[in-house]
Amino acid sequence: MPGSEKEVRQFSFDTRDGELAYDAGDALGVWPANSPALVAEWLALTGLDPDEAVDLGDGMPLPLEEALRTRLDISRITTDLLKFVTERTANHDLKRLLRPDNKDALAQ
Protein backbone atom coordinates (compact mmCIF):
# COMPACT_ATOMS: atom_id res chain seq x y z
CA MET A 1 0.00 0.00 0.00
CA PRO A 2 1.52 3.39 -0.96
CA GLY A 3 2.82 5.32 2.04
CA SER A 4 2.70 2.28 4.32
CA GLU A 5 5.76 1.18 6.24
CA LYS A 6 4.53 -2.41 6.07
CA GLU A 7 5.21 -4.67 3.15
CA VAL A 8 2.19 -6.89 2.60
CA ARG A 9 2.21 -10.05 0.47
CA GLN A 10 -0.46 -12.65 0.03
CA PHE A 11 0.37 -16.34 -0.34
CA SER A 12 -1.94 -19.25 -0.99
CA PHE A 13 -1.37 -22.86 0.03
CA ASP A 14 -3.10 -25.89 -1.44
CA THR A 15 -4.11 -28.07 1.52
CA ARG A 16 -6.34 -30.49 -0.40
CA ASP A 17 -3.87 -33.40 -0.30
CA GLY A 18 -3.79 -33.31 3.50
CA GLU A 19 -0.03 -32.67 3.69
CA LEU A 20 -0.73 -29.54 5.67
CA ALA A 21 -3.45 -29.76 8.31
CA TYR A 22 -5.42 -26.56 8.73
CA ASP A 23 -8.30 -25.78 11.05
CA ALA A 24 -10.31 -22.59 11.22
CA GLY A 25 -8.44 -20.07 13.36
CA ASP A 26 -4.99 -21.52 12.63
CA ALA A 27 -2.31 -19.05 11.63
CA LEU A 28 0.87 -19.39 9.65
CA GLY A 29 3.85 -17.15 10.37
CA VAL A 30 6.64 -16.39 7.94
CA TRP A 31 9.92 -15.05 9.29
CA PRO A 32 12.33 -14.02 6.54
CA ALA A 33 16.07 -14.05 7.18
CA ASN A 34 18.99 -12.26 5.58
CA SER A 35 21.63 -14.48 4.03
CA PRO A 36 24.71 -15.19 6.15
CA ALA A 37 26.87 -13.82 3.32
CA LEU A 38 24.99 -10.48 3.33
CA VAL A 39 25.28 -10.26 7.12
CA ALA A 40 29.03 -11.01 6.97
CA GLU A 41 29.53 -8.35 4.28
CA TRP A 42 27.48 -5.83 6.26
CA LEU A 43 29.49 -6.49 9.42
CA ALA A 44 32.78 -6.22 7.51
CA LEU A 45 31.78 -2.89 5.98
CA THR A 46 30.56 -1.36 9.24
CA GLY A 47 33.28 -2.83 11.45
CA LEU A 48 30.73 -3.62 14.14
CA ASP A 49 31.22 -6.50 16.60
CA PRO A 50 28.99 -9.45 15.62
CA ASP A 51 28.87 -10.60 19.25
CA GLU A 52 27.70 -7.25 20.66
CA ALA A 53 24.44 -7.72 22.56
CA VAL A 54 21.67 -5.55 21.14
CA ASP A 55 18.15 -4.96 22.42
CA LEU A 56 15.67 -4.28 19.64
CA GLY A 57 13.01 -3.04 22.02
CA ASP A 58 11.58 -6.30 23.31
CA GLY A 59 13.89 -6.53 26.34
CA MET A 60 15.58 -9.67 25.04
CA PRO A 61 19.16 -8.84 23.98
CA LEU A 62 20.69 -10.99 21.27
CA PRO A 63 24.01 -10.95 19.41
CA LEU A 64 24.20 -8.32 16.68
CA GLU A 65 24.94 -10.96 14.04
CA GLU A 66 21.75 -12.85 14.90
CA ALA A 67 19.72 -9.62 14.98
CA LEU A 68 21.04 -8.72 11.52
CA ARG A 69 20.26 -12.19 10.17
CA THR A 70 16.83 -12.75 11.68
CA ARG A 71 15.31 -9.48 12.92
CA LEU A 72 16.50 -6.51 10.86
CA ASP A 73 16.00 -5.65 7.19
CA ILE A 74 19.50 -4.88 5.93
CA SER A 75 18.61 -5.35 2.28
CA ARG A 76 17.60 -1.69 1.89
CA ILE A 77 18.76 1.52 3.49
CA THR A 78 16.22 3.04 5.86
CA THR A 79 16.45 5.92 8.30
CA ASP A 80 16.04 3.45 11.19
CA LEU A 81 18.94 1.35 9.88
CA LEU A 82 21.14 4.45 9.58
CA LYS A 83 20.21 5.49 13.13
CA PHE A 84 21.08 1.99 14.36
CA VAL A 85 24.52 2.17 12.71
CA THR A 86 25.12 5.75 13.87
CA GLU A 87 24.39 4.85 17.50
CA ARG A 88 27.02 2.10 17.35
CA THR A 89 29.72 3.78 15.29
CA ALA A 90 29.42 7.46 16.29
CA ASN A 91 30.07 8.25 12.61
CA HIS A 92 29.97 12.05 12.25
CA ASP A 93 28.92 11.97 8.58
CA LEU A 94 25.89 9.80 9.41
CA LYS A 95 25.00 11.98 12.40
CA ARG A 96 25.07 15.05 10.15
CA LEU A 97 22.92 13.34 7.50
CA LEU A 98 20.34 12.36 10.09
CA ARG A 99 19.79 15.91 11.35
CA PRO A 100 16.30 17.20 10.47
CA ASP A 101 17.78 20.04 8.37
CA ASN A 102 19.59 17.56 6.07
CA LYS A 103 16.62 15.67 4.62
CA ASP A 104 17.67 16.47 1.04
CA ALA A 105 21.22 15.23 1.59
CA LEU A 106 19.90 12.09 3.27
CA ALA A 107 17.55 11.40 0.36
CA GLN A 108 20.52 11.56 -2.03
Side-chain angles (χ1 to χ4, degrees), residues 6-7 11 14 32 44 50-52 63 80 83 98-99 101 105 108:
K6 253 187 194 179
E7 183 174 328
F11 295 92
D14 183 354
D51 297 318
E52 175 191 355
D80 286 341
K83 286 178 184 175
L98 290 169
R99 287 192 333 232
D101 60 327
Q108 292 176 5

Side-chain angles (χ1 to χ4, degrees), residues 56-71:
L56 300 178
D58 58 5
M60 299 179 61
L62 66 159
L64 176 59
E65 185 173 22
E66 183 179 342
L68 292 171
R69 191 175 48 76
T70 63
R71 305 274 303 277

Side-chain angles (χ1 to χ4, degrees), residues 6-67:
K6 253 187 194 179
E7 183 174 328
V8 178
R9 297 180 185 204
Q10 180 177 343
F11 295 92
S12 298
F13 296 92
D14 183 354
T15 61
R16 289 178 291 199
D17 292 336
E19 293 178 24
L20 178 66
Y22 174 83
D23 292 318
D26 284 352
L28 175 68
V30 177
W31 288 269
N34 293 303
S35 76
L38 178 61
V39 171
E41 179 181 6
W42 198 92
L43 286 167
L45 290 170
T46 61
L48 295 174
D49 178 3
D51 297 318
E52 175 191 355
V54 295
D55 184 347
L56 300 178
D58 58 5
M60 299 179 61
L62 66 159
L64 176 59
E65 185 173 22
E66 183 179 342

